[in-house]
Amino acid sequence: MKNKNYYAILMAGGVGSRFWPVSTQNFPKQFHDMLGTGETLIQKTFNRLAKLIPEENIFILTNERYNDLVFEQLPSVTKRQVVLEPAMRNTAPCILYASLKIQKENENAVMIVAPSDHWIENEDAFSHNVKTAFDFCESNNALMTLGITPTFPNTGYGYIEYDKASTNEIKSVDQFREKPDYETAKSFLQQGNFLWNAGIFMWNVRIVVDTFKANQPELFSLFESGISVYNTEFEDEFIRENYGKAENISVDYAIMEKSKHVYVIPATFDWNDLGTWGSLYDKLDKDDNANAVVNSKVILDEASGNMIRSKKGKVVVVDGLNDYIIVDKDEVLLIFPKAKEQDIKKVLQNVKANFGEEYG
């Protein structure tokens, strides 16, 4: 029997533009089967959370343009569970909004905020870490996060510095650190008490709402003024009128970096944020020449280190290409060096400017 006080906010509003041309503004990456497993990323995340949390207590937080996609891919969820943002306002406003809805429904709720696009290998270890956090949050004034033990000096993630003297599984956070340069990242790894910030948070609902009230009084006041209509037929109208007034701010800046009672559990599961084609390549099985293939039937000659994806069953012939991203989707074919994958966002803007928004 799952604990009825356990809740989740599944964050599914991002665009994932670095996965263009598969991920587009109208059909972003969380709604695609990026790894060729038979499940989309949002389906995989929902099912992972449902191992611990009652399905009816998993709220999907997304942009209103993705409403139909959510119901198509998660047919068991109800309208009550789909929390729609009428405007893009980063993570703090939507988390506060969803937290107030959950608090109105169950003031004893403990909850996890989890992105929809992460790849987690050992789901039982994930559930164990979350359960440990929930137990702690039920009886302590705590904001918690799961941190990832770094495997190399990555400059693309923020870091969490925790109390080096602690031998406990749950460690107090000294400070959050911005995305570092390479030398700084190396020093973080050498010090041994730094974790990657994965953007996975746990807390009890009263504590997080009180923390928003203390640290973001304007934001809190805006959303608290709708309490009387939350979970009623009048909620949508209030949100459409007021959501766009919210400050564009992340939950890290809004409350986590300002709070004193922040704790972290170093995750015991393998993790990848699937933020780029290169990160996807890292998670996939490779052939003898280190090519990773999703869906395609391939004939390869003098080709190595490539990330190849097409529609299921499409024949792709590659000769003489090494370390490239090769993605075929509808009207777009991308052939791009893996080493320049961070420039795909710029390429997308050029494509839109030259050929129209329908290509992105």
Side-chain angles (χ1 to χ4, degrees):
M1 189 85 174
K2 293 172 187 170
N3 190 323
K4 63 179 175 33
N5 292 333
Y6 286 1
Y7 282 74
I9 299 175
L10 197 167
M11 306 285 285
V15 175
S17 56
R18 287 178 294 178
F19 270 114
W20 182 81
V22 168
S23 182
T24 64
Q25 200 156 22
N26 290 327
F27 206 123
K29 67 175 178 177
Q30 59 268 31
F31 300 106
H32 288 277
D33 177 6
M34 296 301 300
L35 294 113
T37 63
E39 283 186 309
T40 65
L41 293 177
I42 192 173
Q43 288 170 333
K44 197 156 187 63
T45 304
F46 186 91
N47 292 334
R48 182 190 312 128
L49 293 169
K51 289 184 173 184
L52 181 68
I53 294 160
E55 285 195 18
E56 65 273 16
N57 288 356
I58 301 173
F59 286 70
I60 294 88
L61 216 158
T62 191
N63 190 276
E64 61 183 10
R65 73 168 68 186
Y66 308 136
N67 183 60
D68 291 345
L69 282 171
V70 169
F71 286 112
E72 284 171 24
Q73 298 202 2
L74 301 172
S76 67
V77 306
T78 64
K79 185 178 186 298
R80 161 187 158 274
Q81 292 170 258
V82 182
V83 183
L84 299 176
E85 307 166 84
M88 295 284 197
R89 285 295 181 273
N90 215 314
T91 54
C94 58
I95 289 172
L96 173 58
Y97 167 35
S99 298
L100 287 167
K101 281 173 60 65
I102 290 170
Q103 185 181 41
K104 186 176 180 182
E105 178 176 298
N106 183 350
E107 63 183 13
N108 296 314
V110 289
M111 52 199 273
I112 178 173
V113 176
S116 60
D117 51 1
H118 288 179
W119 176 255
I120 290 173
E121 292 274 349
N122 188 335
E123 296 190 342
D124 290 338
F126 171 80
S127 294
H128 172 77
N129 286 163
V130 175
K131 175 72 164 58
T132 300
F134 278 2
D135 289 346
F136 190 77
C137 290
E138 281 183 319
S139 54
N140 290 276
N141 177 9
L143 302 176
M144 294 200 67
T145 184
L146 295 179
I148 310 299
T149 301
T151 53
F152 67 100
N154 195 316
T155 59
Y157 299 140
Y159 284 71
I160 301 164
E161 182 180 358
Y162 63 83
D163 176 12
K164 198 169 189 176
S166 173
T167 57
N168 298 324
E169 181 180 11
I170 296 171
K171 303 175 187 301
S172 63
V173 171
D174 289 339
Q175 60 179 323
F176 289 83
R177 303 290 287 266
E178 298 298 317
K179 295 175 183 178
D181 58 32
Y182 183 72
E183 290 302 319
T184 305
K186 280 206 302 187
S187 76
F188 287 171
L189 266 65
Q190 288 164 0
Q191 290 175 66
N193 60 322
F194 285 80
L195 303 167
W196 288 336
N197 184 356
I200 303 171
F201 306 105
M202 292 80 49
W203 40 56
N204 80 52
V205 71
R206 179 181 56 80
I207 292 299
V208 73
V209 168
D210 287 350
T211 303
F212 269 109
K213 184 176 182 180
N215 291 298
Q216 297 295 328
E218 287 185 23
L219 193 66
F220 176 80
S221 178
L222 175 66
F223 284 98
E224 196 266 343
S225 66
I227 283 286
S228 62
V229 298
Y230 291 160
N231 308 336
T232 76
E233 61 184 311
F234 304 106
E235 178 180 335
D236 290 349
E237 182 182 353
F238 171 84
I239 289 299
R240 282 197 195 93
E241 288 180 4
N242 291 281
Y243 199 90
K245 301 172 186 175
E247 182 182 356
N248 191 341
I249 184 171
S250 73
V251 73
D252 298 78
Y253 284 121
I255 61 170
M256 297 300 285
E257 295 181 10
K258 292 177 164 61
S259 302
K260 290 183 169 55
H261 306 290
V262 182
Y263 299 85
V264 64
I265 296 176
T268 57
F269 49 84
D270 290 334
W271 172 91
N272 190 302
D273 76 336
L274 292 186
T276 65
W277 286 113
S279 64
L280 178 63
Y281 171 86
D282 290 341
K283 294 311 300 177
L284 293 168
D285 292 334
K286 320 289 192 301
D287 67 13
D288 291 343
N289 293 306
N291 296 295
V293 179
V294 177
N295 296 336
S296 314
K297 296 178 179 178
V298 295
I299 297 175
L300 306 174
D301 191 19
E302 295 189 16
S304 65
N306 297 301
M307 171 71 239
I308 302 167
R309 191 186 195 277
S310 70
K311 286 189 174 179
K312 201 165 188 65
K314 186 158 190 173
V315 175
V316 178
V317 181
V318 180
D319 189 332
L321 270 187
N322 301 297
D323 299 317
Y324 266 72
I325 299 162
I326 303 162
V327 181
D328 182 64
K329 180 178 178 284
D330 301 328
E331 292 83 21
V332 178
L333 171 64
L334 176 73
I335 304 171
F336 206 76
K338 274 204 332 234
K340 295 175 64 179
E341 67 170 1
Q342 296 295 336
D343 293 337
I344 287 177
K345 274 188 174 182
K346 296 178 192 171
V347 172
L348 172 57
Q349 296 308 314
N350 286 337
V351 169
K352 286 182 178 180
N354 284 282
F355 304 114
E357 291 288 326
E358 65 268 26
Y359 289 96

